[in-house]
Amino acid sequence: MFKLPRGTTDFTPEEMEKRRYVEEKMASTFKSFGYREIQTPTFETLELFTAKSGDSIIDEIYAFSDKGGRALALRPELTAPVIRFYIDKLQMEPKPLKLYYFGNCFRYDRPQKGRYREFQQAGCEIIGADTPEAYAELIAMAYNILKNVGLKNIKLNIGNLNIIDSMFTKIGLSKKDKKKLLPLIDKSQFEDVLSLLRDLDVPKDNAEKIIDVLQTSDIIKVKDFIKEDQSVKDELSNMEEIVDLLKNSFNVKDYQIKMSIVRGLDYYKGLVFELDASVLGAEKQLCGGGAYDLVKLFGGTDVSTAGFAIGFDRAILALEAEKFAFPSFKTDVYVIPVNEEMLVKSTEIAQNLRKEGILTDLDILRRGVGKSLKYANSKNAEKAIIIGPKDLEKDSVTLRDMKTGEQELVKIANILSKLKNN
Ligand code: HAM
């Protein structure tokens, strides 16, 4: 017996129907905001991912050499690939350039519920817009996508990395010190942050103020802490504008300022945000994104970039946890030839219905009426068309309602209108 590789998943027909349903909903929301779909390869050069993050990322991804000795990697995410694509072929496109994508990603994570080694992301990048309204629209779109797929309980958290960075600079921390602090902040281990700040000789009242700001959802407290710093003041007023737009124009009310969002990936700067589904417990982060810098590093002409990605598998888990009623699979019609002589006519009728977009299945096992009806039930058929010699002599077939069991004789020419009127 062969086993699935750890952290991967097989999807049943039922699961695929749920996934396609959700994918379509997400795509239509992306499109409704003026985004267009792109696709990039599943594997890239390894360097694309180490360029920003350094070699340490190799431990966390699927990196390999091909037969030609090229260093490659299965993509752990799509932002770096999309920016590579942009620089290669899309730089001359009118701005803002709005791109969305669906794609599988691979990370050498420790598998658990909601955390896999192969998973799907639905994401987007906006290139060439950095106004508060661009960011508000981006966040609102992420929120709307999750709402439009049917999720009820989602929480939006908004932070800003430039603001945190200047808070740390203000209290005299070096780049190295900040690097040590960020993972602790990311995990909300504020006791550990406090003791590290103490070890770094940060005066107690400053350290406590920092912890307070990191835990606050009150923008005033952040303002108080950084009042003299002009560049950060601008970031703050942008943040206030974004929040106002979200609240008043996009009707996104369940958000929180959360200065402790630091994001796992190394390319972010400025605005960052996350959307959580509290029903999911430990792996509750459904979406993460923000503004980032990669274009210059990859050799392109500097331009502002932002985006987000939704963990597609987690969105499905959250919908299931909220008991969302996914549309169920159905067959419109199951066609049953009563004997072999009826096969040709039955196939012709089935083909004509298929041409009209009716979901039609046909007995291809010569099973007879009884067994066929049982199978039709298992495929959730709404109607069965039973085709026998006597009815055919009158150019008719028997149409059976699978729920009630009621049967009626219908002229072949009238089958379609009969089905459509039901
Ligand atoms: P990320 O936060 O690393 O961001 O991933 C986005 C989402 O993918 C997460 O919020 C989570 O729902 C899902 N996810 C991450 N790892 C796993 C996993 N092992 N199993 C299942 N789901 C997972 C990015 O990837 C950025 N590229 C987002 C972005 C786009 N930022 C700017 N543009």
Side-chain angles (χ1 to χ4, degrees), residues 36-102:
R36 296 174 72 196
E37 187 173 12
I38 52 165
Q39 200 171 40
T40 62
T42 310
F43 61 85
E44 296 273 354
T45 60
L46 174 60
E47 221 188 329
L48 183 73
F49 303 110
T50 54
K52 182 77 191 180
S53 308
D55 283 350
S56 61
I57 199 178
I58 295 176
D59 289 340
E60 296 163 33
I61 65 179
Y62 282 83
F64 60 99
S65 301
D66 73 2
K67 293 187 177 69
R70 299 169 194 91
L72 301 172
L74 297 181
R75 60 182 176 203
E77 55 106 39
L78 281 95
T79 302
V82 170
I83 295 305
R84 172 198 53 67
F85 181 23
Y86 164 74
I87 292 165
D88 190 18
K89 296 204 182 72
L90 306 172
Q91 283 201 88
M92 303 311 287
E93 292 288 313
K95 307 285 184 307
L97 183 58
K98 293 173 156 186
L99 308 168
Y100 78 91
Y101 49 80
F102 290 91

Side-chain angles (χ1 to χ4, degrees), residues 77 79 107 109 114 116 121 125 263 267-268 285 307-308 311:
E77 55 106 39
T79 302
R107 296 186 188 177
D109 266 328
Y116 313 102
Q121 279 189 350
E125 312 299 337
R263 309 280 305 123
Y267 47 59
Y268 290 103
Q285 197 196 110
F308 64 78

Side-chain angles (χ1 to χ4, degrees), residues 379-420:
K379 294 203 72 177
N380 228 350
E382 293 194 335
K383 303 270 188 234
I385 292 179
I386 302 161
I387 301 173
K390 275 205 189 116
D391 292 350
L392 260 196
E393 275 170 23
K394 290 180 248 160
D395 280 329
S396 300
V397 295
T398 298
L399 184 66
R400 180 187 173 94
D401 186 308
M402 292 297 291
K403 244 187 233 124
T404 61
E406 271 169 40
Q407 299 198 158
E408 60 179 314
L409 203 63
V410 176
K411 285 266 184 241
I412 294 179
N414 297 338
I415 297 178
L416 194 63
S417 60
K418 192 91 198 162
L419 289 174
K420 286 200 165 158

